[in-house]
Amino acid sequence: MIAIRTLLTLTLLLGVGYPLAVTGLAQLLFPWQANGSQLVDKDNRPMGSALLAQQFERTDYFHSRPSASDFTTVGGGGSNLGVSAPQRHDFAGQQAGTARALSPSLLTRSGSGLDPHLPLDAVLSQVNRVAQARALDPARLTALVKSRVEAGILGPQVINILELNLALDKEKDA
């Protein structure tokens, strides 16, 4: 009987009470992060998460790096191909043949397949294409890109592509 009471007490305490307390604290202290770090467009519609890459194919948007998981969060991950794998070289050759492969970062997939950031040089390599498609001055677009720079973790400066493209859309409407 003591074992059953202990089981029920611990189940209520650790299976119900603790998750509710952690969820409540997260909502109170970090509401944006606790709700998925959602980014919204100018009409306040959710457009995606600041933590997940999205595929952009139109020429008037900056493109993310390729995704091994085709930008799906279920089963997201790298391709697990080794440096000498023929498929990896075939993929890089295919990317190099496209107009978007102006930077080495756009030839390779991210480790998670869902990294929303690109190094600054990879974004700057796309400025002329986007400026031409949007009829913008490349210098003005470069300034917008550089205003979105974030410090990279143990690496180069990076830019969140979804946030940059949303800023481009807001700039267009301004």
Side-chain angles (χ1 to χ4, degrees):
M1 193 61 166
I2 293 177
I4 292 175
R5 269 187 289 182
T6 303
L7 174 68
L8 291 175
T9 302
L10 289 175
T11 299
L12 287 174
L13 183 66
L14 300 175
V16 178
Y18 178 74
L20 285 175
V22 169
T23 301
L25 278 173
Q27 288 293 332
L28 182 67
L29 299 174
F30 309 105
W32 187 69
Q33 294 90 336
N35 291 309
S37 305
Q38 292 184 7
L39 298 174
V40 295
D41 66 2
K42 62 184 180 339
D43 298 324
N44 213 25
R45 291 179 303 193
M47 298 304 292
S49 172
L51 305 174
L52 298 171
Q54 291 190 17
Q55 186 171 13
F56 293 97
E57 294 180 345
R58 290 179 21 194
T59 58
D60 59 335
Y61 284 114
F62 288 93
H63 296 163
S64 301
R65 75 170 67 233
S67 170
S69 63
D70 201 27
F71 298 97
T72 59
T73 57
V74 178
S79 65
N80 295 328
L81 296 175
V83 175
S84 62
Q87 298 91 337
R88 184 174 177 188
H89 293 292
D90 293 345
F91 176 79
Q94 174 191 0
Q95 288 299 107
T98 65
R100 55 182 278 190
L102 300 171
S103 167
S105 297
L106 295 173
L107 296 178
T108 57
R109 300 172 175 120
S110 70
S112 67
L114 301 169
D115 184 9
H117 297 94
L118 267 183
L120 179 59
D121 68 326
V123 179
L124 291 175
S125 72
Q126 301 180 57
V127 164
N128 288 334
R129 173 183 49 81
V130 175
Q132 183 178 7
R134 289 183 179 253
L136 291 173
D137 175 31
R140 182 173 171 216
L141 186 55
T142 299
L144 175 67
V145 166
K146 288 184 176 181
S147 74
R148 311 291 304 178
V149 170
E150 302 173 21
I153 300 173
L154 301 177
Q157 295 177 319
V158 294
I159 297 176
N160 186 304
I161 297 299
L162 177 58
E163 289 177 352
L164 177 61
N165 286 333
L166 288 173
L168 269 175
D169 286 343
K170 287 179 182 174
E171 179 113 347
K172 179 178 76 171
D173 296 330

